[in-house]
Every structure is written in structure tokens, then in C-alpha cells.
Amino acid sequence: MADWLAALILGLVEGLTEFIPVSSTGHMLLLGHFLGFESTGKTFEIVIQLGALLAIISVYFRRLWTLATRWPFDAAARRFLIGLLVAFAPAVVIGVFAYDFIKTVLFETPTVVCWALIIGGVLLLWLDRMKKVPVYLDADRYPMRVYFLVGLFQCLAMIPGVSRSGATIAGGLLLGTDKRSAAEFSFFLALPTMGAAVAYDLLQNWSRLDFSDAGLIAIGFIAAFVTALAVVRLLLDFVSRNGFAPFAWWRIAVGVVGLGLLYAGF
């Protein structure tokens, strides 16, 4: 397959999967494995995540600007920012200490990705059908305990295939949030989490980064931005109407197909 086509496919998949509970990392690792695509120093894989991150900033720019400018004298804005930091903190601690193990062991084992996709899909189906009356309907007003516990759930996504958004959404549902606000908070939590992860990856791999394939990186970046933009704008309404079952079944299907291909020697 031509490199430009592989870059386009990977960019589209990154944007489509980053903010839905199907694990963008899992999809990228499996696709990269089966397409035989890997950039020097993971430059491509790191940079195109910024395209998805830019999509979140674009959609929520006005709200983010309000938070950034009003937090010094607005108690509600200040409380939400503190809640985000509380939710973000566990990922910082665990991510720094477990970075080498995650990158050199978990990320190099496609079988782990497939099983994580399947198990996560089954759990997401169970959560989607759970008859639990939501207590917290506004992501801006979760108790600090909920913010912190959702942050702990997010750390499960350090296992590739679990899904960062899936882990945070599942945690939220178990803690009494409704589906829409759980998905929305996952968007906001993506900003510090993804930003820090990309920055840390760049720092760790700086000496190995190779931007000689700037064209391929640009293709992937733009594809990730455009598709992520569409997903962010449509996801909340989709979840409100359909729940998370479609994503759960997709996870299971991808995991099963991936295992089949791996056992077949691909």
C-alpha cells in the first residue's frame, strides 16, 4: 500500500476513534501492524493526535475562552477547572512512573489490544443496559470525589485497547452521571490528558523524531482534524439517542477480527 494512502487511513481512523469509546490507540496499533506502517520515532503517530486535539479546541473554543478569562473571579468556572485538574492528576502520576512499561511492553503486544477491545466492549454493553437513575447531569457540577474517581478510571486506558474516553465514560456512568454529561466531560478531560501525553512523548523521543515525511504527517494531521471535528460535533446527540451499544459491538467485532488475523499469522 502506498505510504500516502496508509497515512490518510491512519489519520481518518485517529480522528474517528479518538473521542468515542472504541480506543483510538488500539485501532492505530492494529492498523499500523497490519499495514506495516511505522514512522521513525513514532513522529507521525504522535503529531496526528494534535489534529484531534485541535478539533476539541475548535468546537469548545468559546467555552474554553470563558473558563480561561473568568476563573479568577467566577467561582463556578474556578471549581470546574479544579475538577479537571483533580481528574487529570492520577494520569500524570501513573503515566510518568509506568511510561517505559506501557510503551515497550503493552504497546508492542497486538494480542493485548484485541483482548482489551473485546472485554471493554462487553463491559460497555453491560453499562449501557444498566438500569441506574443518573444523579449528576452537568459535567460542570460533579462532586470533587466524582472528578477524582473518573480520573482513576481514565488510567485504565494506559492499557492500549481500553480507550481513554471509554474508561472515563464507564467510570462516570458507574458513579451516577448521565450518558451525555459523561461523554462531554470526557472531551474536556482529553485536553490536559492528550496535551500532556503528546508533550511527554515528544520529549522522550525528541532525538529520534524525523520530520522528513512532512507530507505524510500533514495528510494524517488534516484527516484526523476533519474527522475528529465531525465526531465531536455529532457524538453527544448520537449518544443521547442511541447510547453506547453501537460502539461496544464495534469494539467486540474489531477485537475478534484482530485476534483471527493475528492467529492466522498476519
Side-chain angles (χ1 to χ4, degrees), residues 130 132-137 142 146 171-178 181:
M130 183 174 59
K132 187 173 183 178
V133 178
V135 179
Y136 310 114
L137 309 179
Y142 290 169
V146 171
L173 294 178
L174 284 172
L175 293 165
T177 71
D178 72 315
S181 74

Side-chain angles (χ1 to χ4, degrees), residues 11-19 48-56 59 187 194 221-235:
L12 291 172
V13 170
E14 165 64 25
L16 286 170
T17 59
E18 183 62 58
F19 302 113
I48 66 168
Q49 292 180 67
L50 296 175
L53 196 60
L54 182 60
I56 282 281
V59 171
F187 288 160
M194 287 180 63
F221 182 94
I222 294 170
F225 170 74
V226 172
T227 50
L229 194 64
V231 168
V232 172
R233 287 180 170 171
L234 298 174
L235 182 63

Side-chain angles (χ1 to χ4, degrees), residues 125-206:
L125 273 178
W126 173 68
L127 285 169
D128 194 60
R129 296 173 180 177
M130 183 174 59
K131 301 299 182 184
K132 187 173 183 178
V133 178
V135 179
Y136 310 114
L137 309 179
D138 190 339
D140 293 0
R141 299 179 182 179
Y142 290 169
M144 287 297 161
R145 175 185 64 87
V146 171
Y147 286 128
F148 177 70
L149 291 175
V150 168
L152 287 179
F153 272 97
Q154 179 179 240
C155 294
L156 294 173
M158 293 178 188
I159 302 171
V162 169
S163 169
R164 188 203 59 80
S165 60
T168 56
I169 288 168
L173 294 178
L174 284 172
L175 293 165
T177 71
D178 72 315
K179 295 173 183 177
R180 186 183 182 93
S181 74
E184 185 174 49
F185 184 66
S186 177
F187 288 160
F188 281 102
L189 188 53
L191 289 171
T193 304
M194 287 180 63
V198 170
Y200 195 69
D201 265 342
L202 288 172
L203 180 64
Q204 293 294 311
N205 293 283
W206 187 255

Side-chain angles (χ1 to χ4, degrees), residues 17-18 20-30 102 105-124 153-168 247-248 250-256:
T17 59
E18 183 62 58
I20 62 176
V22 299
S23 178
S24 63
T25 301
H27 280 70
M28 293 287 285
L29 288 173
L30 289 177
I102 293 166
V105 178
L106 297 180
F107 271 57
E108 300 298 328
T109 314
T111 305
V112 169
V113 176
C114 293
W115 280 112
L117 285 168
I118 294 169
I119 294 169
V122 172
L123 291 175
L124 198 58
F153 272 97
Q154 179 179 240
C155 294
L156 294 173
M158 293 178 188
I159 302 171
V162 169
S163 169
R164 188 203 59 80
S165 60
T168 56
F247 305 120
W250 175 261
R251 290 177 63 103
I252 294 169
V254 171
V256 169

